[in-house]
Structures are given as structure tokens and as C-alpha cells.
Amino acid sequence: MEDIREELQQQALEIMDQLPDITDEQMEALRANSELRRLCRELLALKGDLYLHEHPIMKEERVAMFQEKEEEEHSFGKTFFRWLLPLAAVAAAIAFFFVFFQKNDVDVPQGRVYTASTEGSQKVEMIVGKEQMTLTKKEQESEQKITMNDYREILSHVDPTEKVALRVPAGQSSDITLSDGSVISLHPGSRLAFPVAFTSTERVVKLEGEAYFNVVHDSKRPFIVMTDLTETTVLGTEFNVDTRDGSSTVITLVKGRVQVKNKKQNNKVVLEPGMQTVAKEDGFSPLSQVDTTPYSYWAEGYLFYDQAELQDIMRKIGLMYNMTVEFRNTDIMQLKMRFFAERKNGLDAVISRLNSLHRIHVTRSGNTLYVD
């Protein structure tokens, strides 16, 4: 633990020395690590104190600074901004951190694990070439099932090799049956691209987000799932692909056998049932054995968690129903829980189920869930 803290302290010193020209890697580290941001704040405050010692300020300004103390967390940089301007390097640091911390700390309260999406359409959309079809209200059910046969007439004038994309926003989920009979269960906030009809030699789709694949066996046409990082090849099997992290892709095999290629490193791994791999730009993590029940249960319409951290459960629920989630009691965020609920019963039923466990209390206010 002490080694980690020393490493963070060294990172903070390097960032402060390099301001305002920090690297993309340093920027990403600041976004991801609240402790690193806190250390940078302390260093910035120390620079301010040193400058104050050499350049005393008027009593009135000291009073004004004291009165602003309660707002310091919400307006970092304001307190020091007036009297640090003569010091160019510190002024540049304040300008940077004022903008950065406003975005990363103030806008996301402590205890918030998911923020509801307000971008774009909140309905499932099918995109064919440049045309965009929003599915009708009749089709807009929480557990939407789509088959390409339903759109045979619409797609009859489209070239079979034309790419089709299904976009599923936060708060929605969708099962789609492709032209070969394979069924893909798309999680909220995901996008699947595929041709109107597969070729005679292979079946290729591209995924952004997370999906569970139940692939029809075809020994002559391998099924290939492309992501930014990986290429997963199967003949017929069940597996889950998750690209939500942004910097990695997680592949979990439920049945059958798959080969996963890391497109950045051009190396491959083979998965057997119950195995999981994490692909990153620098290669694969060691293979691990995992419980695949939560993945298969998702495809069957259930939320299932066994000894999962409460913050992870609530983050998934927030994404599933597009609700902001805030912990008012942050001490329980890492509480391990077992939880099971049927997704189609809706959010209120999920909240009732959570509260019936008598370990936490979840309340709903508008578009936000509060956890106590």
C-alpha cells in the first residue's frame, strides 16, 4: 500500500512540474484516479501557500477567502486565482486544474456510479446505409425481440452485402435473430453491425458495447465477432463479448470453443467453456476460470449476481434502466451481495427486490436512484 502511495506521489510531482503541457497518459491517469487528483490539489495549494508567504495579501482578501472556504470543493482554483496571477507557472496550473476538476470532480458527486444518458434517441434504431429506422412504439418493449425476417420487405431493395446496424440505447435491450438463425442479446448502450445476408464463406459482425452470442453451427462458415481490439472466431457456440471499458475487450465462453485474436499484437488464445480472457493493446491477460451463470441468465432475461460488489450491481441496473445511481452511504459500495431479478418486470420490481433483502435501501426520485 505504501509503495502505491509513493508511486502516486511521484506521478503527482511529475504532473505539476510539467503543467500545463501534460501528456495524454497523465491526463487519463488524472481522470481515472481520484487519489492522484487529490495529491495534485495539495501540491497546487502548497505552491499557493509559498507564494502567499512571499507576497502577503490584504486582510479583506483573507476574509473573502475564508468566506469562500465552504465552496472550495465546487469552485477549485477560485480562492487562489486572484493573487496567483503574477506567478505564471502557478497561474497556468490553476487554469488547467480549474477546468479539469470542474469536469471530473464537481460534475460527478462522490458515490455516483452511473449517470443516465441523455444523448441521442432513447429508442432502438436500425440503420441501413444512410437510412435510419426508429422501431415503432409497438416494438418498443423493455425486452425487445427482432428477427431479420420481420424486415424482409424493407430490406428487399438493399444489396445483400450492405451493412445494417442495430443501436440499442441505455435503458433498452434487444435480442436480434440474424439471417443465419444466430441470436444476439444486446446489452443497453450497445451497437451491432452486420450484413443483410452473410456470404458463403464467413459470417462477420462488429460489436461496440456488450452482447451475448448464441451462434448457429455452420462448419463451412465461421462466425467472427470484430471489436476494436479483438477478432473472435467460432463455428457454433455461446459466449459473451464486452467492450465497455474502452481500453479492453473481455470475452467469456459459456459453451463450445472459440479462438480470440488480439488485432494489436497479432497473437491468439483459445478458450474452453468457463474461461475468460481480457484483451488489451499490449496483449492478453492470463486466462481465468469464471462462473458463466450471470452471462447465460442475462440472455434468458434475468439479472443475476453472486457475491458481486453492490456498486457493480447498481451500475448495471443504472445502465439497464438508464437511471443515474448515487450512493448516499458510500461505506456500502463494496458490499458483496447475491441478487436475482427478472428484467421484464421493470425497475420498480427490481427496487422492491433489492429492498426486500434488508441490507440496503434504494429510493427513486425522478431519474435518480439513491442507495442508503
Side-chain angles (χ1 to χ4, degrees):
M1 182 66 80
E2 190 62 32
D3 291 343
I4 295 174
R5 180 169 175 78
E6 288 180 4
E7 184 179 338
L8 286 174
Q9 289 172 339
Q10 184 60 39
Q11 275 187 272
L13 286 168
E14 291 173 358
I15 288 170
M16 295 305 296
D17 287 342
Q18 201 161 326
L19 280 173
D21 301 316
I22 70 170
T23 65
D24 290 342
E25 289 77 14
Q26 289 171 326
M27 178 75 79
E28 187 58 37
L30 280 166
R31 287 197 182 98
N33 196 312
S34 59
E35 177 64 13
L36 181 59
R37 296 197 296 271
R38 187 188 66 77
L39 289 170
C40 287
R41 279 200 200 88
E42 289 181 356
L43 288 172
L44 186 57
L46 179 59
K47 282 192 176 185
D49 288 341
L50 291 172
Y51 183 75
L52 177 60
H53 179 73
E54 296 174 2
H55 302 79
I57 60 175
M58 300 298 291
K59 177 182 178 182
E60 291 78 10
E61 288 182 296
R62 290 180 183 272
V63 172
M65 288 168 59
F66 179 78
Q67 291 173 338
E68 291 174 359
K69 185 67 176 176
E70 290 185 359
E71 300 177 5
E72 187 174 343
E73 287 299 313
H74 300 284
S75 56
F76 184 79
K78 184 188 295 183
T79 305
F80 300 111
F81 193 76
R82 294 188 304 274
W83 50 272
L84 286 183
L85 279 175
L87 191 58
V90 181
I94 289 174
F96 169 80
F97 278 101
F98 179 81
V99 173
F100 186 85
F101 289 131
Q102 282 285 91
K103 181 176 180 181
N104 289 276
D105 287 348
V106 176
D107 290 345
V108 182
Q110 183 182 14
R112 179 175 294 184
V113 295
Y114 183 77
T115 301
S117 172
T118 57
E119 297 180 0
S121 171
Q122 297 304 301
K123 295 182 178 180
V124 176
E125 294 175 331
M126 184 175 287
I127 304 163
V128 183
K130 295 181 179 179
E131 297 181 21
Q132 190 164 300
M133 296 179 288
T134 300
L135 303 186
T136 65
K137 289 184 178 180
K138 183 178 179 181
E139 293 165 318
Q140 285 295 323
E141 299 173 355
S142 59
E143 296 301 313
Q144 186 172 343
K145 297 185 183 297
I146 302 168
T147 174
M148 291 306 294
N149 286 334
D150 296 339
Y151 297 91
R152 185 179 299 169
E153 186 175 338
I154 297 173
L155 298 173
S156 60
H157 67 287
V158 179
D159 188 299
T161 61
E162 182 76 65
K163 282 287 189 287
V164 176
L166 187 68
R167 191 190 74 84
V168 182
Q172 299 279 343
S173 60
S174 181
D175 291 353
I176 180 166
T177 303
L178 302 181
S179 58
D180 69 332
S182 296
V183 179
I184 319 300
S185 299
L186 283 163
H187 285 240
S190 300
R191 187 178 191 272
L192 185 73
F194 51 93
V196 174
F198 291 118
T199 68
S200 59
T201 57
E202 61 182 8
R203 299 168 289 171
V204 181
V205 303
K206 182 171 183 181
L207 174 70
E208 298 172 20
E210 182 174 4
Y212 185 91
F213 293 81
N214 189 338
V215 177
V216 170
H217 182 80
D218 187 338
S219 60
K220 296 181 180 179
R221 293 190 302 169
F223 193 100
I224 303 170
V225 180
M226 307 288 288
T227 72
D228 288 342
L229 270 176
T230 60
E231 180 180 307
T232 303
T233 304
V234 304
L235 295 176
T237 185
E238 293 184 35
F239 60 101
N240 195 83
V241 180
D242 185 359
T243 70
R244 292 190 187 286
D245 181 75
S247 61
S248 65
T249 297
V250 183
I251 297 100
T252 309
L253 182 61
V254 177
K255 295 179 181 178
R257 194 167 182 264
V258 302
Q259 174 183 275
V260 184
K261 175 183 176 181
N262 188 312
K263 292 157 63 177
K264 301 293 184 181
Q265 297 295 321
N266 201 32
N267 55 347
K268 301 174 183 178
V269 296
V270 175
L271 301 186
E272 301 291 343
M275 295 177 70
Q276 183 179 85
T277 186
V278 179
K280 297 185 177 181
E281 290 200 357
D282 59 354
F284 290 103
S285 67
L287 298 180
S288 58
Q289 199 76 27
V290 298
D291 178 12
T292 62
T293 308
Y295 302 99
S296 55
Y297 267 52
W298 168 269
E300 294 171 14
Y302 298 94
L303 291 170
F304 178 90
Y305 301 96
D306 187 9
Q307 291 301 312
E309 288 191 358
L310 180 57
Q311 60 183 330
D312 293 332
I313 295 174
M314 294 307 302
R315 186 181 294 113
K316 284 280 192 178
I317 290 172
L319 177 63
M320 176 69 217
Y321 298 101
N322 197 26
M323 298 287 291
T324 296
V325 178
E326 291 188 15
F327 280 78
R328 289 191 288 212
N329 178 4
T330 56
D331 293 337
I332 62 174
M333 291 176 67
Q334 294 180 320
L335 180 68
K336 299 278 190 179
M337 290 185 63
R338 290 186 175 90
F339 181 68
F340 182 87
E342 198 165 359
R343 289 174 14 222
K344 71 177 183 181
N345 290 339
L347 178 59
D348 289 340
V350 170
I351 294 173
S352 177
R353 174 72 177 156
L354 283 166
N355 291 337
S356 72
L357 300 176
H358 301 297
R359 301 185 70 187
I360 62 170
H361 187 69
V362 180
T363 54
R364 177 180 182 176
S365 177
N367 202 37
T368 301
L369 297 179
Y370 294 100
V371 188
D372 296 292

